[in-house]
Structures are given as C-alpha cells and as structure tokens.
Amino acid sequence: MTEPFSYRENDPDSLLPTWGPLRTHGLTWQPGWDLPALLEEWHGHLTGLDDPDTAAIVQLPSQETGDARTLIERGFAPLTVVAERLAGRAPAHRPSDVDVRAATRADLDVAVELNLHTVRYDAQFGLVTERANTVEHLRTALAEVLDRDHEAMWLALSGDTPVGMIYVDMPQDAGWMEKYASARPFAYLGHLGVRPDVRGTGAGTALAAHAHSVLDGAGVASTLLHHALPNPRSTPFWYSQGYRPRWTLWVRRPALRSYSGVSARPERPSET
C-alpha cells in the first residue's frame, strides 16, 4: 500500500506559495482507510503549531462523503475541488457583448493584471495567498504560456479593452495532473478570470466556450481544473459549464492549532 502521508516545502521564490502555504502536510485517500486512526497517527507527524504558513490537507474523491463529519470535527474545511469536464459537455448558449481573441506577448501586462484580480478574490477562501513576489512569478508563468508554439491563452474584449483572460495547458503541458484524469488525452484549465466590474455579464462564459471549442476540436477528452469550493461565483459557474467534482481538498490551516474548530482564530472566552 502506498504511504498515505506526505510533506512538502514550497520554494518561497516561486509561484507555488501563492496557491497555498509554504509547508504542506498531506494525507491522500486510499480504499478502505480508517480515517480516524490515520488522523491520530498523522497528528504525530504534523509541525508548525499556529503557523499560518502551514496546512494539513486531506485529499479524497468528492463522492466519498462518509468521512465529512470526521474531518469537520477535527477542524478541516473543504476548500478546493479538482473538477473535470468530458469532451462535448456544453451549456446552452448565452449571448455576450464581448469578443474573444488569442493573446500575444504584447498582452502580458494585462494578462498579469487579470490573473491578479483572481488571486485577490480567491484569497478570501483560505488557501490562495498573495505574496510580495506574486506579480513577478505570475509574469514569468504567463510569459511561458504566451511563448508556446500554439495558442493557449485568450482575451475577452469589450470594444478594444481586455476584460477577461483564460489559458489552458494542452496535453503536452498537463502531465502533472495525470492522476486526476478519467479520460485521455487530458488538458488543464489554468485560469479564467474577468475584471470585477464585468463579473456576471457573460464574459467568462464566452471565454470558457471558446477554450472548450478549441479543446474539443483538438481531440482533448478531459479538461481538469482547480476551483475554490467556497467561492460563490466559481462553484456554480464551473458546474454550469459541464464540470463535475472529482477530488476535494479538505484543509486545516495552520496544520496544528492550540485551539479547536474550523475558525482560524481562537474562540473568544465566554463572558461572565
């Protein structure tokens, strides 16, 4: 049987600490596991008492709901989902006033700005963290996407003004998501975001429809993505686009607490 426990330290001079804490303890689901016993054993491996740059993350199939109460009672919350769309799933057409075009190297600044809007919005939900070097590393990562030898990023335009951005990792760039895919070849949708003032106008739907058309046309059987489960915008949006939850990440941050409960702060003492 595969070792269920893992530990990772992210390079602080990289983009990874934007997507989560610097130090992550992991516990991955296995068929027939005894979760209460594993959590008890795991507790002895955890480090970083009350350190907000640590997290304990339990990863399990989204349909395995029988352990939810056990996790909640131990201070875990379901924060992130890996969702999957199989080729051909498409919502009803929704009219939009935006146009969609491929992004170029000249659009790097606006791509970074649009991705940063998403980082700042998702930071409310407990896992994403804007760092002092987030912009620098977003720029490096998005430049790499724009330098690929195929279209992988698109902008939504209102008139001549970019108001949204989406990018994908085609199968040759998505291998790191191998264990989550139920069909092959598979791709990864790395980002979709729009400016705060155009949310709800159909710009995101237009971008998703364009990217899905490209992916379906290229013979991609499965598209994967991460989304913040507590996000009241992304959760209904992605499921309206044909995605379904596959894996859920239950998170406790900090990994070890001197207090109990889901809250990131100690409970107030009761007044007398």
PDB file of all heavy atoms in Angstrom, residues 216-236:
ATOM      1  N   ASP A 216     -12.092  20.694 -27.570  1.00  0.00           N
ATOM      2  CA  ASP A 216     -12.859  19.634 -28.222  1.00  0.00           C
ATOM      3  C   ASP A 216     -12.361  19.411 -29.644  1.00  0.00           C
ATOM      4  O   ASP A 216     -12.234  18.267 -30.105  1.00  0.00           O
ATOM      5  CB  ASP A 216     -14.346  19.979 -28.238  1.00  0.00           C
ATOM      6  CG  ASP A 216     -14.990  19.902 -26.858  1.00  0.00           C
ATOM      7  OD1 ASP A 216     -14.322  19.458 -25.900  1.00  0.00           O
ATOM      8  OD2 ASP A 216     -16.165  20.304 -26.738  1.00  0.00           O
ATOM      9  N   GLY A 217     -12.056  20.510 -30.349  1.00  0.00           N
ATOM     10  CA  GLY A 217     -11.566  20.395 -31.714  1.00  0.00           C
ATOM     11  C   GLY A 217     -10.216  19.724 -31.814  1.00  0.00           C
ATOM     12  O   GLY A 217      -9.888  19.108 -32.837  1.00  0.00           O
ATOM     13  N   ALA A 218      -9.422  19.818 -30.740  1.00  0.00           N
ATOM     14  CA  ALA A 218      -8.099  19.194 -30.728  1.00  0.00           C
ATOM     15  C   ALA A 218      -8.158  17.741 -30.260  1.00  0.00           C
ATOM     16  O   ALA A 218      -7.114  17.083 -30.145  1.00  0.00           O
ATOM     17  CB  ALA A 218      -7.167  19.986 -29.815  1.00  0.00           C
ATOM     18  N   GLY A 219      -9.359  17.235 -29.968  1.00  0.00           N
ATOM     19  CA  GLY A 219      -9.494  15.849 -29.541  1.00  0.00           C
ATOM     20  C   GLY A 219      -9.199  15.608 -28.080  1.00  0.00           C
ATOM     21  O   GLY A 219      -8.967  14.462 -27.675  1.00  0.00           O
ATOM     22  N   VAL A 220      -9.208  16.663 -27.261  1.00  0.00           N
ATOM     23  CA  VAL A 220      -8.974  16.511 -25.820  1.00  0.00           C
ATOM     24  C   VAL A 220     -10.214  15.879 -25.188  1.00  0.00           C
ATOM     25  O   VAL A 220     -11.326  16.386 -25.327  1.00  0.00           O
ATOM     26  CB  VAL A 220      -8.666  17.872 -25.170  1.00  0.00           C
ATOM     27  CG1 VAL A 220      -8.608  17.751 -23.658  1.00  0.00           C
ATOM     28  CG2 VAL A 220      -7.346  18.419 -25.720  1.00  0.00           C
ATOM     29  N   ALA A 221     -10.020  14.759 -24.499  1.00  0.00           N
ATOM     30  CA  ALA A 221     -11.147  14.016 -23.943  1.00  0.00           C
ATOM     31  C   ALA A 221     -11.584  14.522 -22.578  1.00  0.00           C
ATOM     32  O   ALA A 221     -12.747  14.386 -22.197  1.00  0.00           O
ATOM     33  CB  ALA A 221     -10.791  12.530 -23.842  1.00  0.00           C
ATOM     34  N   SER A 222     -10.643  15.097 -21.818  1.00  0.00           N
ATOM     35  CA  SER A 222     -10.917  15.516 -20.435  1.00  0.00           C
ATOM     36  C   SER A 222     -10.200  16.823 -20.169  1.00  0.00           C
ATOM     37  O   SER A 222      -9.025  16.978 -20.534  1.00  0.00           O
ATOM     38  CB  SER A 222     -10.434  14.434 -19.462  1.00  0.00           C
ATOM     39  OG  SER A 222     -10.219  14.952 -18.164  1.00  0.00           O
ATOM     40  N   THR A 223     -10.899  17.756 -19.535  1.00  0.00           N
ATOM     41  CA  THR A 223     -10.282  19.004 -19.088  1.00  0.00           C
ATOM     42  C   THR A 223     -10.457  19.101 -17.584  1.00  0.00           C
ATOM     43  O   THR A 223     -11.566  18.951 -17.062  1.00  0.00           O
ATOM     44  CB  THR A 223     -10.913  20.232 -19.760  1.00  0.00           C
ATOM     45  OG1 THR A 223     -10.831  20.079 -21.181  1.00  0.00           O
ATOM     46  CG2 THR A 223     -10.181  21.499 -19.353  1.00  0.00           C
ATOM     47  N   LEU A 224      -9.352  19.354 -16.892  1.00  0.00           N
ATOM     48  CA  LEU A 224      -9.330  19.429 -15.437  1.00  0.00           C
ATOM     49  C   LEU A 224      -9.067  20.860 -14.990  1.00  0.00           C
ATOM     50  O   LEU A 224      -8.454  21.650 -15.730  1.00  0.00           O
ATOM     51  CB  LEU A 224      -8.228  18.523 -14.884  1.00  0.00           C
ATOM     52  CG  LEU A 224      -8.372  17.037 -15.205  1.00  0.00           C
ATOM     53  CD1 LEU A 224      -7.029  16.336 -15.076  1.00  0.00           C
ATOM     54  CD2 LEU A 224      -9.398  16.384 -14.295  1.00  0.00           C
ATOM     55  N   LEU A 225      -9.503  21.186 -13.796  1.00  0.00           N
ATOM     56  CA  LEU A 225      -9.189  22.486 -13.207  1.00  0.00           C
ATOM     57  C   LEU A 225      -9.322  22.399 -11.693  1.00  0.00           C
ATOM     58  O   LEU A 225      -9.923  21.465 -11.154  1.00  0.00           O
ATOM     59  CB  LEU A 225     -10.090  23.593 -13.767  1.00  0.00           C
ATOM     60  CG  LEU A 225     -11.612  23.451 -13.648  1.00  0.00           C
ATOM     61  CD1 LEU A 225     -12.149  23.806 -12.261  1.00  0.00           C
ATOM     62  CD2 LEU A 225     -12.306  24.327 -14.685  1.00  0.00           C
ATOM     63  N   HIS A 226      -8.734  23.369 -11.008  1.00  0.00           N
ATOM     64  CA  HIS A 226      -8.966  23.569  -9.579  1.00  0.00           C
ATOM     65  C   HIS A 226      -9.897  24.778  -9.412  1.00  0.00           C
ATOM     66  O   HIS A 226      -9.770  25.767 -10.137  1.00  0.00           O
ATOM     67  CB  HIS A 226      -7.658  23.890  -8.843  1.00  0.00           C
ATOM     68  CG  HIS A 226      -6.729  22.724  -8.691  1.00  0.00           C
ATOM     69  ND1 HIS A 226      -5.825  22.370  -9.674  1.00  0.00           N
ATOM     70  CD2 HIS A 226      -6.539  21.851  -7.662  1.00  0.00           C
ATOM     71  CE1 HIS A 226      -5.119  21.315  -9.253  1.00  0.00           C
ATOM     72  NE2 HIS A 226      -5.535  20.988  -8.045  1.00  0.00           N
ATOM     73  N   HIS A 227     -10.795  24.691  -8.441  1.00  0.00           N
ATOM     74  CA  HIS A 227     -11.550  25.884  -8.095  1.00  0.00           C
ATOM     75  C   HIS A 227     -11.786  25.907  -6.588  1.00  0.00           C
ATOM     76  O   HIS A 227     -11.782  24.863  -5.915  1.00  0.00           O
ATOM     77  CB  HIS A 227     -12.872  25.972  -8.859  1.00  0.00           C
ATOM     78  CG  HIS A 227     -13.944  25.031  -8.388  1.00  0.00           C
ATOM     79  ND1 HIS A 227     -14.785  25.328  -7.344  1.00  0.00           N
ATOM     80  CD2 HIS A 227     -14.321  23.801  -8.820  1.00  0.00           C
ATOM     81  CE1 HIS A 227     -15.628  24.334  -7.154  1.00  0.00           C
ATOM     82  NE2 HIS A 227     -15.360  23.383  -8.021  1.00  0.00           N
ATOM     83  N   ALA A 228     -11.977  27.117  -6.060  1.00  0.00           N
ATOM     84  CA  ALA A 228     -12.229  27.293  -4.629  1.00  0.00           C
ATOM     85  C   ALA A 228     -13.685  26.957  -4.350  1.00  0.00           C
ATOM     86  O   ALA A 228     -14.599  27.647  -4.826  1.00  0.00           O
ATOM     87  CB  ALA A 228     -11.914  28.725  -4.216  1.00  0.00           C
ATOM     88  N   LEU A 229     -13.916  25.915  -3.583  1.00  0.00           N
ATOM     89  CA  LEU A 229     -15.283  25.464  -3.319  1.00  0.00           C
ATOM     90  C   LEU A 229     -16.142  26.529  -2.634  1.00  0.00           C
ATOM     91  O   LEU A 229     -17.332  26.670  -2.966  1.00  0.00           O
ATOM     92  CB  LEU A 229     -15.247  24.178  -2.488  1.00  0.00           C
ATOM     93  CG  LEU A 229     -16.584  23.496  -2.222  1.00  0.00           C
ATOM     94  CD1 LEU A 229     -17.303  23.152  -3.518  1.00  0.00           C
ATOM     95  CD2 LEU A 229     -16.380  22.241  -1.382  1.00  0.00           C
ATOM     96  N   PRO A 230     -15.616  27.324  -1.674  1.00  0.00           N
ATOM     97  CA  PRO A 230     -16.478  28.339  -1.043  1.00  0.00           C
ATOM     98  C   PRO A 230     -16.764  29.550  -1.926  1.00  0.00           C
ATOM     99  O   PRO A 230     -17.571  30.399  -1.539  1.00  0.00           O
ATOM    100  CB  PRO A 230     -15.666  28.779   0.194  1.00  0.00           C
ATOM    101  CG  PRO A 230     -14.590  27.755   0.365  1.00  0.00           C
ATOM    102  CD  PRO A 230     -14.305  27.233  -0.997  1.00  0.00           C
ATOM    103  N   ASN A 231     -16.113  29.650  -3.082  1.00  0.00           N
ATOM    104  CA  ASN A 231     -16.283  30.801  -3.955  1.00  0.00           C
ATOM    105  C   ASN A 231     -17.694  30.781  -4.552  1.00  0.00           C
ATOM    106  O   ASN A 231     -18.038  29.875  -5.317  1.00  0.00           O
ATOM    107  CB  ASN A 231     -15.228  30.758  -5.071  1.00  0.00           C
ATOM    108  CG  ASN A 231     -15.256  31.983  -5.962  1.00  0.00           C
ATOM    109  OD1 ASN A 231     -16.295  32.597  -6.160  1.00  0.00           O
ATOM    110  ND2 ASN A 231     -14.110  32.331  -6.517  1.00  0.00           N
ATOM    111  N   PRO A 232     -18.539  31.767  -4.227  1.00  0.00           N
ATOM    112  CA  PRO A 232     -19.930  31.725  -4.680  1.00  0.00           C
ATOM    113  C   PRO A 232     -20.089  31.988  -6.167  1.00  0.00           C
ATOM    114  O   PRO A 232     -21.191  31.834  -6.707  1.00  0.00           O
ATOM    115  CB  PRO A 232     -20.602  32.827  -3.854  1.00  0.00           C
ATOM    116  CG  PRO A 232     -19.499  33.806  -3.591  1.00  0.00           C
ATOM    117  CD  PRO A 232     -18.255  32.970  -3.412  1.00  0.00           C
ATOM    118  N   ARG A 233     -19.008  32.418  -6.818  1.00  0.00           N
ATOM    119  CA  ARG A 233     -19.053  32.642  -8.266  1.00  0.00           C
ATOM    120  C   ARG A 233     -18.535  31.434  -9.039  1.00  0.00           C
ATOM    121  O   ARG A 233     -19.175  30.947  -9.968  1.00  0.00           O
ATOM    122  CB  ARG A 233     -18.263  33.900  -8.635  1.00  0.00           C
ATOM    123  CG  ARG A 233     -18.843  35.178  -8.037  1.00  0.00           C
ATOM    124  CD  ARG A 233     -18.033  36.405  -8.437  1.00  0.00           C
ATOM    125  NE  ARG A 233     -18.569  37.609  -7.853  1.00  0.00           N
ATOM    126  CZ  ARG A 233     -19.570  38.328  -8.358  1.00  0.00           C
ATOM    127  NH1 ARG A 233     -20.148  37.932  -9.467  1.00  0.00           N
ATOM    128  NH2 ARG A 233     -19.985  39.422  -7.750  1.00  0.00           N
ATOM    129  N   SER A 234     -17.342  30.948  -8.666  1.00  0.00           N
ATOM    130  CA  SER A 234     -16.724  29.911  -9.489  1.00  0.00           C
ATOM    131  C   SER A 234     -17.433  28.574  -9.360  1.00  0.00           C
ATOM    132  O   SER A 234     -17.542  27.822 -10.337  1.00  0.00           O
ATOM    133  CB  SER A 234     -15.239  29.760  -9.150  1.00  0.00           C
ATOM    134  OG  SER A 234     -15.043  29.204  -7.871  1.00  0.00           O
ATOM    135  N   THR A 235     -17.935  28.240  -8.170  1.00  0.00           N
ATOM    136  CA  THR A 235     -18.543  26.919  -7.998  1.00  0.00           C
ATOM    137  C   THR A 235     -19.764  26.722  -8.905  1.00  0.00           C
ATOM    138  O   THR A 235     -19.796  25.781  -9.700  1.00  0.00           O
ATOM    139  CB  THR A 235     -18.874  26.666  -6.522  1.00  0.00           C
ATOM    140  OG1 THR A 235     -17.645  26.660  -5.781  1.00  0.00           O
ATOM    141  CG2 THR A 235     -19.575  25.347  -6.328  1.00  0.00           C
ATOM    142  N   PRO A 236     -20.780  27.585  -8.864  1.00  0.00           N
ATOM    143  CA  PRO A 236     -21.903  27.383  -9.795  1.00  0.00           C
ATOM    144  C   PRO A 236     -21.503  27.570 -11.251  1.00  0.00           C
ATOM    145  O   PRO A 236     -22.048  26.907 -12.141  1.00  0.00           O
ATOM    146  CB  PRO A 236     -22.939  28.420  -9.348  1.00  0.00           C
ATOM    147  CG  PRO A 236     -22.180  29.428  -8.548  1.00  0.00           C
ATOM    148  CD  PRO A 236     -21.039  28.699  -7.926  1.00  0.00           C
TER     149      PRO A 236
END
